[in-house]
Amino acid sequence: MYKSILITKGKSGWGGPLTITPTEKCHKILCVTGGGIHPVAQKIAEMTGGEAVDGFSTGAPDDEVMVAVVDCGGTARCGVYPKKGIFTVNLTPVGKSGPLANFITEDIYVSDVKESCIQFADESAINANPAPTKKSPSDTAKTKAQARAELAAMNNGRKKNIVTRLGIGVGSVVNKFYQAGRETIEMVMKNILPFMAFVSMILGIISASGIGNVIAHTLSPLASTLPGMIGISIVCALPFISPVLGPGAVIAQVVGSLLGVEIGLGHIPPQYALPALFAINAQVGADFVPVGLSLGEAEPETIELGVPAVLYSRLITGPAAVIIAYLFSMGLYS
Amino acid sequence: MEIIAALANGFIELFKAGAATFVAWVTGIIPLVIVLMTAVSSVIKIIGEDRVYSLAQTATKYTLTRYTIVPILAVIFLVNPMCYTFGRFVEEKYKPAFYDAAVSFVHPVTGLFPHANGGELFVYMGIAAGINQLGLPLGELAIRYFAVGIIVILMRGIVTEKIYAMMKK
């Protein structure tokens, strides 16, 4: 008997959830993971009662393939099967990418899938399933042992040699590097460059218009003495100001850039960079306390009291951090 | 006509300084950040966040490690903002203090591990740009920022823990 399953994306995955229903004709799980049957493909086969085939040694006609299991790093395979209209399960955490990205949609593709991401579909989905047909017992859903034996037989027939295994290992590491590069570039494009654009525009206007001199005469003396910096940190840590200064650390970043300019011009001694980093940032995360606590699965009562606890604590720890940093800045750049 | 031309020139001049800053940042900061971020996040992907869970769980028991090792691992491996989810390993009464420690580390970490908070690099980078301009090496500032960060989060954790306990009574 065939069963429907639900496949959800893994922790860093994309797409899905997919509900997959095998039929008489279309029940093959095509495993294209560099040879052999991957455990995820095997689990899908066990749960649906379908048949896992090794795409590298046997292959299957497209109209018999119920779902393709791939381990694509974001170039070809992840797009090929969606383009054919075949459900695609990617084992690596890759979203819409590669030359066929347009075909990768959430209703046909799911990524970063682990064995734990697969479950039976709910009752209604199973009922919607075509009625089980009169099949010989050997064709009913396989037990785990049967499926294991079958898998072992299949893998024995095509034992992975050392070169294949090495290839798969190297491939997965290279994929991780590639994915890291992709994420880094995305971060640079989405966050770092826009910030640079906005701050360099402001800094440019400040220095060209003469406001820079005003800042040099007010902020610089304040940031080049210990009491001045303690003062800055206390203002930043005031419980009614700190949550306003917090979001995206924009204020801290702009002030940091302004101080950087003054340090570069020699108005502030370089060893004051260290305490300054703490002085301008006593408010860090003060706007985010409730969200951060709920990410840590805190109870509502904890959040209610936790918010003021953190805010009050900053009044003590903000200036204290400046003093600690000041002590540690001794001998820096001298 | 000449007046208009002079005005236009003045207008453009206003932005030339900004353009120079922008180019200096793009060429001076971005290449290193890109390579460093790619390298560190590759290593972290290869190690895998699952593997640090058990270590983090054990480390929540003691005050000293709860506000040092746990938030450091959380920030480096899960990065801002998902690092706060490590709070679930921490006892309920310590959660606000743990959050305070973790959030206070998302900037000190950026000197050595910019991937952990790529969206908010300029708290450190802004000041570091000035040091760079003076021709001084950044390594020492980055290390000291990281080290002082650890001391500060430990202190924040302990102080916030006490304040929360007092408020709860």
Side-chain angles (χ1 to χ4, degrees):
Chain A
M1 197 185 106
Y2 293 130
K3 279 194 170 144
S4 295
I5 52 163
L6 183 75
I7 306 178
T8 47
K9 64 180 177 187
K11 263 190 217 109
S12 18
W14 186 89
L18 306 179
T19 307
I20 295 179
T21 308
T23 62
E24 182 83 54
K25 176 150 176 59
C26 178
H27 63 266
K28 290 202 167 133
I29 296 104
L30 184 68
C31 186
V32 200
T33 53
I37 303 290
H38 191 275
V40 167
Q42 188 207 344
K43 177 136 191 233
I44 297 175
E46 273 172 30
M47 290 175 70
T48 56
E51 183 191 350
V53 295
D54 179 357
F56 275 75
S57 55
T58 48
D62 283 351
D63 55 353
E64 285 181 31
V65 176
M66 169 177 75
V67 54
V69 176
V70 301
D71 63 348
C72 173
T75 322
R77 269 173 286 161
C78 62
V80 167
Y81 295 99
K83 185 166 182 285
K84 290 180 178 178
I86 296 171
F87 284 125
T88 304
V89 168
N90 197 350
L91 306 172
T92 52
V94 168
K96 276 171 107 68
S97 84
L100 299 172
N102 286 343
F103 297 98
I104 301 174
T105 54
E106 287 175 62
D107 51 18
I108 200 160
Y109 177 90
V110 61
S111 70
D112 197 24
V113 173
K114 309 267 186 294
E115 283 163 83
S116 55
C117 302
I118 305 164
Q119 57 191 81
F120 287 113
D122 62 300
E123 211 58 39
S124 58
I126 292 169
N127 289 341
N129 206 17
T133 48
K134 38 184 186 333
K135 282 212 144 195
S136 61
S138 68
D139 277 321
T140 58
K142 294 159 194 146
T143 65
K144 260 195 176 167
Q146 271 175 321
R148 285 251 165 76
E150 223 169 76
L151 174 79
M154 202 173 270
N155 279 346
N156 276 340
R158 192 191 170 286
K159 191 136 193 144
K160 279 192 238 171
N161 60 29
I162 184 125
V163 178
T164 316
R165 268 182 292 157
L166 191 70
I168 293 172
V170 170
S172 87
V173 170
V174 168
N175 268 342
K176 281 177 174 145
F177 283 140
Y178 190 20
Q179 183 65 18
R182 199 178 288 129
E183 281 169 16
T184 302
I185 294 296
E186 198 167 301
M187 176 63 86
V188 169
M189 300 291 287
K190 283 194 181 149
N191 298 101
I192 301 179
L193 277 175
F195 189 84
M196 283 182 169
F198 135 70
V199 178
S200 52
M201 187 262 300
I202 291 180
L203 287 183
I205 292 177
I206 286 175
S207 65
S209 63
I211 306 173
N213 296 331
V214 180
I215 293 173
H217 288 121
T218 53
L219 194 61
S220 297
L222 207 56
S224 36
T225 61
L226 181 59
M229 273 189 291
I230 291 176
I232 295 176
S233 72
I234 291 174
V235 172
C236 290
L238 288 174
F240 54 92
I241 291 180
S242 57
V244 186
L245 294 180
V250 173
I251 306 274
Q253 293 188 86
V254 172
V255 176
S257 304
L258 285 174
L259 288 181
V261 172
E262 297 304 318
I263 290 173
L265 292 174
H267 296 156
I268 300 174
Q271 68 270 25
Y272 281 87
L274 190 60
L277 281 166
F278 288 92
I280 62 172
N281 211 15
Q283 76 282 8
V284 56
D287 57 310
F288 202 70
V289 192
V291 191
L293 283 175
S294 54
L295 282 174
E297 291 166 21
E299 303 290 332
E301 305 88 79
T302 312
I303 297 177
E304 204 175 301
L305 280 178
V307 175
V310 171
L311 297 188
Y312 292 143
S313 156
R314 290 295 170 84
L315 271 176
I316 303 167
T317 62
V322 174
I323 295 169
I324 295 170
Y326 180 80
L327 295 176
F328 273 79
S329 74
M330 289 181 182
L332 182 65
Y333 302 125
S334 60
Chain B
M1 200 61 206
E2 273 161 35
I3 299 168
I4 295 174
L7 274 178
N9 279 339
F11 184 71
I12 297 297
E13 280 305 314
L14 197 56
F15 299 105
K16 273 196 179 157
T21 312
F22 185 72
V23 169
W25 281 350
V26 169
T27 56
I29 295 177
I30 287 192
L32 181 65
V33 166
I34 286 182
V35 178
L36 188 57
M37 268 169 88
T38 307
V40 176
S41 48
S42 310
V43 171
I44 279 158
K45 276 178 203 297
I46 289 166
I47 297 173
E49 59 190 64
D50 295 350
R51 275 182 220 175
V52 297
Y53 283 172
S54 61
L55 177 58
Q57 222 150 359
T58 326
T60 56
K61 287 185 198 130
Y62 314 101
T63 308
L64 185 67
T65 51
R66 182 166 58 240
Y67 303 124
T68 54
I69 291 175
V70 187
I72 293 169
L73 286 178
V75 169
I76 291 179
F77 280 84
L78 273 75
V79 317
N80 187 32
M82 292 318 286
C83 51
Y84 313 120
T85 57
F86 261 34
R88 70 177 188 276
F89 298 139
V90 179
E91 265 183 75
E92 194 68 29
K93 59 180 170 179
Y94 301 140
K95 281 182 181 177
F98 170 77
Y99 167 79
D100 201 3
V103 80
S104 298
F105 201 63
V106 298
H107 295 124
V109 77
T110 51
L112 297 175
F113 301 102
H115 78 286
N117 197 5
E120 298 175 0
L121 281 184
F122 269 80
V123 177
Y124 170 74
M125 287 291 177
I127 286 188
I131 302 290
N132 224 357
Q133 209 176 329
L134 293 175
L136 295 167
L138 279 180
E140 213 176 332
L141 180 64
I143 297 272
R144 288 191 196 215
Y145 192 26
F146 195 87
V148 176
I150 295 172
I151 298 168
V152 167
I153 64 174
L154 175 62
M155 171 194 70
R156 285 221 165 123
I158 293 170
V159 172
T160 307
E161 183 185 309
K162 296 275 180 292
I163 292 180
Y164 180 71
M166 266 157 35
M167 287 171 69
K168 196 122 201 265
K169 270 176 205 158

